[in-house]
Amino acid sequence: MTFSKENFKNQFISNVRTLSRQTVENATKEQLYEALAFTIRDYVTDKWLKTHETYDKEGVKIVCYLSMEFLMGRFLGNAILNMSIYDEVKEVLSELNIDYNTIENVEKDPGLGNGGLGRLAACFLDSLSTMELPAYGCGIRYHYGIFEQKIENGYQVELPDNWLENGDIWGVKRHEYAQEIKFGGTVRAVKQPDGRYKFIQENYESIMAVPYDYPVVGYDNNTVNTLRLWDAYAKEAFDLQSFNAGDYTKAVANQNIAKTLTEVLYPADEHYAGKELRLRQQYFFVSATIQRIVSKYKKKFGNDLSKFHEKYALQLNDTHPSIAVAELMRVLIDENDMEWDEAWEITKKCCAYTNHTIMSEALEKWPIELFSRLLPRIYMIVEEINKRFCEMLINRYGHDANKIRNMAVVADGQIRMAYLAIVGSHSVNGVAALHTEILKSQELKDFYEVYPDRFNNKTNGITQRRWLGHANPALSSLITDTIGDGWYKDLSELKKLDKYAEDKEFCKKFMQVKSENKKKLADYFKQTKGIDIDPNSIFDIQVKRLHEYKRQLLNIFHVMSLYNKLKVFPGLDIVPRTFIFGAKSAAGYSRAKLIIKLINSVAELVNNDESIEGKIKVVFAENYRVSLAELLIPAADVSEQISTASKEASGTGNMKFMLNGAVTIGTLDGANVEMAQELDNEGIFIFGMKANEVIEEQNKNTYNPWDVYNFSSDVRGVMNMLINGTLDPNTELFREIYDACLNGYNGSRADQYYVLKDFESYCKAQQDIEQTYRNKELWAKMAVHNTACSGKFSSDRTIKEYADEIWKLTPKHIEI
Ligand code: 26Q
């Protein structure tokens, strides 16, 4: 079915009729959304079928990107953009008196992820389809995504995110590919006629995994890859369907167990809590994926699995799916009679592991008793992997107890998932150059010594289709009018804009677009929060998960000190600024939640104090999510990327702001380092400790934040404000933050993220920004320069590196 405006219009009108028994004039916006989504889906389906027909027929190699999170954002707009039918769709709708944006906003964000790691997976899928690379995203169909955040009285309140409430238009249930997943029970060794042993799991509990497939539409081509999300069903429910009703009560009880398995996404990022349900979720989707691809391989290529690795690559998105190493071994050995050594070589050739964090709280370690009870056969395999690995270590280093303690997969009563992933993979990558270097020289030093060839860097990227094309149509048009539309598929084309940084006319247009985007955002805040912000003020934005290492505290302390200055010198000539925050905190992370309350208390104070004449405003954007990011980022003048150096593995928000012409204030951390390089240090304001200084300071442990306090009246003013009743009548409310900064709290070091230590240098960088902003021409030049230099940070570049160097994957053009 080829697209034409005429056909599309007729189909749309007809879909409104059949789906809602309504005329277009009388249909609600929800009904119109449904009809539009169905219409678009039909066009997608033809390409989707053709893509998989081609993959099957030609037996191509496929990468499975295994991830507990896919933060896709809305489907409709992305599908329309990638099929290059945006203008036509908009025209047809406006002929029917329908506003396209209103309809698009009906769709709930599928929030099946926490933050960076989940959004990266979504950007990667977009790039894979656009570059015609055969791929599946494999994950879990959570019934509830990341909670919806409400702010009540300044505090975060979490509400359930029922994203499936109004149906699941984009998901196709594939009952025929259901897999049985076994938990618990015991393992019996049975001697085979040839003398070998076969291991059989018995008395286990079964859960059925049923996939739902979602289309991933490539840009300007015929490729539609699949995001396959597994949902859980009770096995008895399957029996019930075939009239083997049996024990109905038990069947229903089992349905409940199945239901809880995929009920909800764990909303904690970078924080590990050894929860049984989480381990169940991990094994569930990994086992389903591996069983499915092995049986598909056998159907296509026969029962000999010795070349399995030539057809499938498995990328492990952090350690969350790292149990894949043991599960693939189990399927090859137990279910396909392969010998250990051969299975091990194949497993290593298939698996590759990406590390996304060096935060020690995030390291996954499962207690042996839990792991072995839930996955008895997998546990045996992990023990064997560990035994062989330790033998190798002993061979190499002798009987060194420290080496074993530091490197063993199973040690001190725990299974260390990162080590399992490293030992069982042929590739281990970090997500930015600095991050990879820190892995090699610090966190994973011992492993780098043993397996130097496995380590490599893949600097993260973002898809320009969603983050410029879709999020910022006005800037997209301006860029396309100036240098053509090649950037949609090759972001390095943006380099051609750099010479326009000198072109006054172009700069003016660029800043006009920015100004329009700022007005749109101001309208949104007016409508949703009833708050007035000045579109001519500097929009200074920090949006990301709330975490102490990301240092939202540093940002709000700067606001507090500015406020204190304005109180002392009311006439102070500063450029008006709007500080915008957006952040969800993990529900159990009380310090992070208190920081949200602090930001809102400062907002309350500053926004309502007439004596400062509206020179500074603070806005907390509620329920930060992909669709809100698409509104916020194009409106930013200043992008806050201020993590404690060495702690942010890469960051990807930083890249989205740069692409949209914001100027960064940041530390030399994660991908900021590479951004500064691409920019030649123009239009980026770097401050604070360097990563090596942080690491050194942590080791020395001689830093005393009271020294900073004693030297700086600004710091004293801010600290005092936390506990003197200015922000809240309860002077104890923010005492914990005060103590954490100055005295240490609950066993952690005073100012462990060096907020006070970096404060002065941060304020200085903020002043530089203000001075630069006063010079409108210089500012515009810097903004354009940022967009022009952002080409490296396309996820197309990242994916090409993964495909060439790790997966050995080649594009397959889909002909229609
Ligand atoms: C682990 C165990 C139990 C429950 C939850 C988790 C968990 C969940 C999510 C641990 C970590 C995460 C997410 C981590 C994450 O988003 N990391 C970010 O990854 C981005 C993509 O590579 C980087 O850009 C960011 O720097 C990094 O913080």
Side-chain angles (χ1 to χ4, degrees), residues 16 22-28 32 96:
V16 176
Q22 249 332 342
T23 59
V24 168
E25 299 79 57
N26 293 327
T28 63
L32 293 173
L96 297 167

Side-chain angles (χ1 to χ4, degrees), residues 447-610:
F447 287 90
Y448 180 55
E449 191 175 296
V450 177
Y451 303 122
D453 299 339
R454 292 190 190 180
F455 283 73
N456 64 95
N457 176 247
K458 296 286 167 283
T459 298
N460 282 167
I462 57 170
T463 166
Q464 65 267 32
R465 269 82 57 187
R466 182 176 290 271
W467 295 109
L468 183 55
H470 187 259
N472 201 344
L475 186 57
S476 299
S477 301
L478 174 62
I479 294 173
T480 298
D481 290 347
T482 312
I483 59 165
D485 64 1
W487 60 270
Y488 274 93
K489 284 190 144 180
D490 176 5
L491 201 64
S492 67
E493 286 280 305
L494 291 184
K495 202 74 245 194
K496 293 182 182 159
L497 280 179
D498 222 6
K499 70 166 191 260
Y500 291 90
E502 308 293 335
D503 177 333
K504 295 225 168 77
E505 222 17 66
F506 179 82
C507 285
K508 207 173 124 198
K509 288 191 200 150
F510 194 95
M511 295 318 285
Q512 259 162 11
V513 168
K514 181 65 80 185
S515 171
E516 289 303 315
N517 292 335
K518 287 167 78 174
K519 281 191 198 119
K520 255 173 57 187
L521 182 58
D523 288 346
Y524 172 81
F525 285 134
K526 180 73 186 165
Q527 275 167 31
T528 54
K529 298 187 75 107
I531 197 173
D532 281 303
I533 59 174
D534 174 7
N536 294 314
S537 63
I538 301 176
F539 279 20
D540 178 317
I541 308 188
Q542 185 173 21
V543 283
K544 47 182 82 256
R545 284 299 288 250
L546 210 138
H547 206 294
E548 286 164 279
Y549 85 79
K550 296 180 188 281
R551 299 201 294 191
Q552 281 92 354
L553 211 44
L554 180 57
N555 187 345
I556 200 69
F557 282 178
H558 168 245
V559 178
M560 288 156 73
S561 80
L562 271 182
Y563 175 79
N564 287 340
K565 278 210 180 75
L566 285 167
K567 293 303 279 182
V568 180
F569 309 104
L572 194 70
D573 175 27
I574 66 164
V575 182
R577 238 204 249 215
T578 306
F579 295 93
I580 299 166
F581 293 82
K584 287 179 183 175
S585 156
Y589 188 173
S590 61
R591 175 84 51 86
K593 289 177 127 178
L594 189 60
I595 295 171
I596 290 180
K597 172 65 176 169
L598 174 65
I599 294 168
N600 283 305
S601 296
V602 173
E604 182 76 18
L605 175 74
V606 168
N607 299 350
N608 297 308
D609 185 337
E610 284 174 10

Side-chain angles (χ1 to χ4, degrees), residues 69 114-118 120 266 268-273 278 320 356-357 362 364 431 460 549-550 648-652:
E69 307 190 9
N114 276 287
L117 166 148
L120 183 75
Y266 273 90
D269 66 328
E270 324 233 5
H271 182 81
Y272 161 79
R278 170 100 179 166
H320 317 158
H356 295 267
T357 185
E364 290 194 294
V431 290
N460 282 167
Y549 85 79
K550 296 180 188 281
E648 189 71 273
S650 163
T652 45

Side-chain angles (χ1 to χ4, degrees), residues 109-357:
D109 281 41
L112 308 186
N114 276 287
L117 166 148
R119 182 54 230 177
L120 183 75
C123 283
F124 280 3
L125 293 186
D126 184 80
S127 288
L128 283 160
S129 289
T130 297
M131 301 172 76
E132 304 187 313
L133 290 163
Y136 275 80
C138 306
I140 296 175
R141 185 173 183 265
Y142 302 106
H143 301 176
Y144 291 87
I146 184 75
F147 60 83
E148 190 185 317
Q149 179 193 54
K150 281 252 145 55
I151 301 296
E152 282 177 13
N153 186 28
Y155 290 99
Q156 165 176 301
V157 176
E158 302 95 24
L159 302 176
D161 161 51
N162 189 358
W163 73 288
L164 292 168
E165 196 171 32
N166 302 322
D168 184 15
I169 295 178
W170 301 97
V172 182
K173 186 174 180 180
R174 311 301 298 270
H175 217 277
E176 65 274 33
Y177 301 141
Q179 305 293 328
E180 181 179 8
I181 315 297
K182 300 174 181 176
F183 290 104
T186 48
V187 178
R188 188 158 57 93
V190 182
K191 198 165 188 175
Q192 302 297 99
D194 64 2
R196 296 195 308 168
Y197 282 91
K198 201 175 171 91
F199 293 90
I200 303 194
Q201 196 174 346
E202 296 174 323
N203 305 314
Y204 50 83
E205 156 203 340
S206 271
I207 298 222
M208 297 305 293
V210 180
Y212 285 68
D213 287 349
Y214 297 80
V216 182
V217 181
Y219 178 81
D220 192 29
N221 62 27
N222 297 318
T223 298
V224 178
N225 282 320
T226 301
L227 168 61
R228 172 162 284 180
L229 301 180
W230 296 91
D231 207 340
Y233 289 84
K235 182 139 186 283
E236 281 75 7
F238 278 66
D239 295 342
L240 277 177
Q241 283 175 350
S242 51
F243 278 90
N244 276 329
D247 184 342
Y248 182 76
T249 342
K250 188 173 159 233
V252 177
N254 270 315
Q255 281 184 48
N256 287 335
I257 295 177
K259 198 169 161 270
T260 53
L261 211 149
T262 48
E263 198 59 0
V264 60
L265 162 80
Y266 273 90
D269 66 328
E270 324 233 5
H271 182 81
Y272 161 79
K275 291 278 194 300
E276 174 172 336
L277 182 59
R278 170 100 179 166
L279 182 57
R280 275 184 190 264
Q281 288 182 337
Q282 295 182 343
Y283 183 66
F284 169 78
F285 93 96
V286 165
S287 176
T289 301
I290 287 177
Q291 290 190 61
R292 173 66 197 140
I293 60 177
V294 169
S295 77
K296 186 156 181 185
Y297 178 95
K298 284 159 71 175
K299 216 165 144 199
K300 264 202 261 181
F301 306 106
N303 289 346
D304 174 7
L305 287 161
S306 61
K307 298 207 155 100
F308 183 74
H309 56 278
E310 291 179 7
K311 297 298 174 189
Y312 283 101
L314 301 175
Q315 189 67 34
L316 312 179
N317 200 19
D318 215 291
T319 54
H320 317 158
S322 57
I323 208 160
V325 168
E327 175 65 3
L328 183 52
M329 289 296 284
R330 183 190 70 79
V331 171
L332 293 176
I333 294 170
D334 292 2
E335 295 184 0
N336 294 281
D337 297 320
M338 198 180 271
E339 294 286 348
W340 180 279
D341 289 332
E342 187 183 10
W344 185 238
E345 289 311 311
I346 292 172
T347 296
K348 280 191 293 184
K349 284 179 188 153
C350 282
C351 294
Y353 157 61
T354 305
N355 176 291
H356 295 267
T357 185

Side-chain angles (χ1 to χ4, degrees), residues 618-634:
V618 178
V619 185
F620 192 93
E622 263 171 70
N623 200 31
Y624 180 60
R625 61 196 184 283
V626 173
S627 60
L628 188 52
E630 293 185 52
L631 180 66
L632 286 159
I633 292 169

Side-chain angles (χ1 to χ4, degrees), residues 359-491:
M359 302 290 293
S360 56
E361 306 96 280
L363 286 183
E364 290 194 294
K365 301 177 223 129
W366 295 104
I368 286 183
E369 70 276 13
L370 165 66
F371 195 98
S372 59
R373 176 167 52 76
L374 201 63
L375 307 168
R377 177 59 185 144
I378 293 294
Y379 174 65
M380 289 170 70
I381 291 169
V382 171
E383 275 289 352
E384 182 66 22
I385 292 172
N386 183 56
K387 186 181 136 227
R388 289 167 184 245
F389 175 63
C390 289
E391 277 165 10
M392 184 276 287
L393 288 179
I394 290 165
N395 250 328
R396 185 175 168 138
Y397 295 106
H399 276 266
D400 180 343
N402 278 328
K403 261 290 173 242
I404 301 291
R405 174 171 311 124
N406 292 339
M407 297 184 75
V409 176
V410 187
D412 302 334
Q414 293 176 318
I415 299 171
R416 300 148 160 185
M417 300 309 274
Y419 299 176
L420 176 63
I422 298 169
V423 173
S425 294
H426 67 282
S427 163
V428 176
N429 76 282
V431 290
L434 174 69
H435 171 59
T436 302
E437 286 314 307
I438 293 175
L439 291 179
K440 291 196 290 192
S441 63
Q442 313 274 329
E443 319 300 314
L444 301 177
K445 187 169 184 284
D446 293 340
F447 287 90
Y448 180 55
E449 191 175 296
V450 177
Y451 303 122
D453 299 339
R454 292 190 190 180
F455 283 73
N456 64 95
N457 176 247
K458 296 286 167 283
T459 298
N460 282 167
I462 57 170
T463 166
Q464 65 267 32
R465 269 82 57 187
R466 182 176 290 271
W467 295 109
L468 183 55
H470 187 259
N472 201 344
L475 186 57
S476 299
S477 301
L478 174 62
I479 294 173
T480 298
D481 290 347
T482 312
I483 59 165
D485 64 1
W487 60 270
Y488 274 93
K489 284 190 144 180
D490 176 5
L491 201 64

Side-chain angles (χ1 to χ4, degrees), residues 743-767:
N743 301 319
Y745 192 90
N746 265 352
S748 65
R749 290 182 191 176
D751 196 20
Q752 66 166 318
Y753 294 105
Y754 304 105
V755 172
L756 298 189
K757 193 162 170 64
D758 274 348
F759 184 74
E760 191 186 332
S761 151
Y762 177 63
C763 292
K764 167 80 175 55
Q766 286 288 22
Q767 274 171 10

